[in-house]
Amino acid sequence: MVFLRDVLLQPAFPDGTAGFYTLPGAGKPTLSQKNWVAGYREVTRFTLLIDPDQGQIDGLFGNEDALVDHLLNKDVSPLNGTVEWLQSEGDSVRTFYTNVSLPIQLAFQTPHGTPFIVQRSESGPLGPTDVTQTIDFTWGWGEHCLMIGELKRHGIIDFERWTNRLDPDSNRIRLGKELRGYCHKYKCFAASVFDGQHLLILVFHAQTAQQIRADCQITCLLFSSNCPTLRYGLFRTVIYQIQRMQAATAPSVILDGYTRGFRWLSWQTFWSDGNQEHDQHPNGYIRMFDNSCGAWYWAYADRNGTAVLDQNGGVVWDTGSLGL
């Protein structure tokens, strides 16, 4: 057995294990034109991280908190690598689910057998909807869509046109519009595309679906298939959306006259008395994580910084349960 952390920090496709082939006479693959994306903006305002290491990913999403640590310290069986041949879109679909998605999904399994984060394939938005478009996969919690993704034939993601800011070709233009459009329709703030050779992740810095449709700032992560942090980066993106979701659905909390709030983009908590903000509770409450259910709570800390029952003999719940 190994820790899941070790698996997610191994290349999904180590050097020499993936071969990419093109049918004789075939030209560069092109992305099909979807008429419904015509009204969406291109992806132009973005910050790009290319094959980021763990430190850069943690710098983007914040240091690993108790939830991340709990999930990554699960015992899992080592994954044996296989040699993969990729030629068609179907090959990208197969290798994504076996080499990329499966290890991440192990983090979301629970002792009672039901994953608290569910992955769906070729389905519409979660919950009641009038949206008719379907995307290749989603990760969701209840009716909250945490991440959406498309699976394409290798070559759809033009590495040079994303990294060197060359004039975008039709593939990049259509791809950006398509991802923005899906995120708007699914009310989801993170999207990805995997084409076998590369994984592209887009994180929209928006608070509403309408802001996604407008022209919000975007952070892009672009991974080569043999990058050792590819799976870790995708995992942390999903966890970041869980933090967003927990902050959006959290109850109001007031302790000793201070009101708890969440900082935009980082989702870190702060306390306010109406005049001043504090990163830590002035009277010694600390935020703790309940591994048994996935909820955060506030407990009173003694003079040594050890969490104990609060002054009223209990704890104050900060977020709802994830269903761990």
Side-chain angles (χ1 to χ4, degrees), residues 113-310:
T114 303
F116 74 97
I117 301 298
V118 177
Q119 188 175 58
R120 300 287 309 281
S121 298
E122 298 183 9
S123 63
L126 307 176
T129 181
D130 57 0
V131 174
T132 59
Q133 290 80 14
T134 59
I135 200 163
D136 288 340
F137 74 88
T138 61
W139 262 307
W141 181 80
E143 294 183 359
H144 297 275
C145 189
L146 303 173
M147 178 161 227
I148 58 177
E150 282 284 275
L151 304 171
K152 305 293 187 182
R153 175 186 165 192
H154 70 83
I156 289 295
I157 300 173
D158 190 316
F159 190 84
E160 293 297 324
R161 292 189 182 275
W162 283 94
T163 58
N164 295 332
R165 302 300 178 95
L166 301 174
D167 290 338
D169 61 359
S170 60
N171 273 6
R172 178 178 145 185
I173 292 173
R174 292 176 184 177
L175 194 57
K177 287 186 172 186
E178 189 174 310
L179 293 180
R180 188 190 297 274
Y182 275 124
C183 281
H184 170 250
K185 288 179 176 292
Y186 281 60
K187 298 178 181 178
C188 182
F189 300 91
S192 65
V193 179
F194 178 73
D195 73 351
Q197 284 183 308
H198 300 101
L199 172 71
L200 176 67
I201 298 174
L202 272 59
V203 180
F204 290 86
H205 297 190
Q207 298 189 64
T208 66
Q210 282 305 115
Q211 289 177 353
I212 293 174
R213 179 158 198 167
D215 193 21
C216 63
Q217 181 64 34
I218 303 169
T219 296
C220 298
L221 296 87
L222 181 57
F223 297 90
S224 305
S225 60
N226 61 352
C227 179
T229 57
L230 182 152
R231 292 188 286 213
Y232 180 79
L234 188 57
F235 166 79
R236 286 302 309 272
T237 305
V238 176
I239 297 301
Y240 179 70
Q241 301 310 314
I242 292 176
Q243 293 173 320
R244 169 195 286 271
M245 178 269 297
Q246 285 193 305
T249 58
S252 60
V253 175
I254 301 177
L255 286 174
D256 293 350
Y258 294 91
T259 301
R260 186 266 291 121
F262 292 93
R263 297 202 183 280
W264 167 235
L265 282 181
S266 71
W267 309 118
Q268 297 299 305
T269 57
F270 68 92
W271 295 93
S272 172
D273 60 4
N275 298 311
Q276 188 175 2
E277 293 182 355
H278 308 270
D279 290 334
Q280 308 296 329
H281 194 286
N283 293 344
Y285 287 89
I286 60 175
R287 196 171 190 241
M288 305 289 289
F289 182 72
D290 188 333
N291 291 341
S292 66
C293 69
W296 294 87
Y297 63 91
W298 294 97
Y300 188 74
D302 64 17
R303 68 182 60 185
N304 297 317
T306 303
V308 296
L309 295 181
D310 77 4

